[in-house]
Amino acid sequence: DIVVTQSPLSLPVTPGEPASISCTSSQRLLHSSGYNSLNWYLQKPGQSPQLLIYLASNRASGVPDRFSGSGSGTDFTLKISRVEAEDVGVYYCMQDLQVPLTFGGGTKVEIK
Amino acid sequence: EVQLVESGGGLVQPGGSLKLSCSASGFTFSDSAIHWVRQAAGKGLEWIGRIKNKPQNYATAYAASVKGRFTVSRDDSQNTAYLQMNSLRTEDTAIYYCTRRETFIDHWGQGTLVTVSS
């Protein structure tokens, strides 16, 4: 199974400041079609997860442009250029290159 | 608008069975794979299984933790997917989400709570 590791576990942030979350996989996530099979989700308190970034670097529909994803192979990053209060919640990366699909342990983002 | 609505959760005794449903709308259900993901209280997300579409022979796959106990199925005529859960254990207590996957998982249902307890 592909192991996905996220850091940090917790991320206190000041509104208006940037934030960054790292995701590392135990195997390369490069699909034969040329894209990286790594997605980012945000689970706001009391809600289902919602897609933020797909295929490592593509913002999902409706996602503000302060969110960006980067990386390739085994190392990926989610960045928030300027954190807003509505961005609090738990962020998960997930690989879907192969089953079993696996998630990172989550990063809890909270406002200082 | 894509919608996925789970139902069928509830309280069940250890060793019991439960069948969850995932009713879909707003997209061509028969084109998509359906994946099930669960989340125990205060914990992270765990993928538990999936069923592909008809062109991919409705292929199924399961997490090791549920293989042999859980079965994913679908009825494209009803736009509904199912998760049959047998031999339930206390550690299966969680919110169960159905999700849609085409190239990636992009939509999640609101989840249904399954509690396994005596």
Side-chain angles (χ1 to χ4, degrees), chain A residues 35 39 41 43 47-49 51 54-55 92 94 96 99-101 103 105, chain B residues 35 37 39 43-45 47 50 61 97 101 103-106 108-110:
Chain A
Y35 53 78
N39 309 309
Y41 301 89
Q43 187 173 32
Q47 296 185 18
S48 307
L51 178 66
Y54 63 91
L55 306 182
Y92 295 95
M94 184 204 77
D96 64 355
V99 292
L101 307 192
F103 293 88
Chain B
H35 291 241
V37 177
Q39 185 173 37
K43 303 296 185 181
L45 300 167
W47 178 87
R50 64 96 162 118
Y97 298 101
R101 183 179 189 274
T103 307
F104 45 87
I105 290 178
D106 58 357
W108 300 61
Q110 87 289 349

Side-chain angles (χ1 to χ4, degrees), chain A residues 23-45:
Chain A
C23 180
T24 302
S25 64
S26 61
Q27 299 177 32
R28 295 183 70 200
L29 299 182
L30 188 61
H31 190 273
S32 56
S33 298
Y35 53 78
N36 284 276
S37 297
L38 188 286
N39 309 309
W40 291 93
Y41 301 89
L42 166 59
Q43 187 173 32
K44 295 184 177 182

Side-chain angles (χ1 to χ4, degrees), chain B residues 5 8 24 30-31 39 47-48 50 52 58 64 66-67 70-71 73 84 86 93 100 102 110:
Chain B
V5 179
S30 58
D31 286 348
Q39 185 173 37
W47 178 87
I48 55 173
R50 64 96 162 118
K52 291 188 174 182
Y58 299 123
V66 306
K67 195 169 186 178
F70 289 13
T71 302
S73 61
Q84 175 69 47
N86 298 330
T93 295
R100 177 186 87 153
E102 296 185 342
Q110 87 289 349

Side-chain angles (χ1 to χ4, degrees), chain B residues 8-83:
Chain B
L11 175 64
V12 60
Q13 292 189 337
S17 298
L18 207 57
K19 187 172 185 176
L20 307 183
S21 299
C22 170
S23 178
S25 60
F27 65 102
T28 305
F29 180 77
S30 58
D31 286 348
S32 298
I34 297 296
H35 291 241
W36 290 87
V37 177
R38 69 183 179 185
Q39 185 173 37
K43 303 296 185 181
L45 300 167
E46 179 189 14
W47 178 87
I48 55 173
R50 64 96 162 118
I51 183 166
K52 291 188 174 182
N53 57 18
K54 184 176 181 180
Q56 296 179 297
N57 298 314
Y58 299 123
T60 58
Y62 300 93
S65 59
V66 306
K67 195 169 186 178
R69 300 189 298 124
F70 289 13
T71 302
V72 180
S73 61
R74 63 191 294 162
D75 182 345
D76 289 347
S77 69
Q78 298 294 317
N79 289 348
T80 302
Y82 303 97
L83 178 65

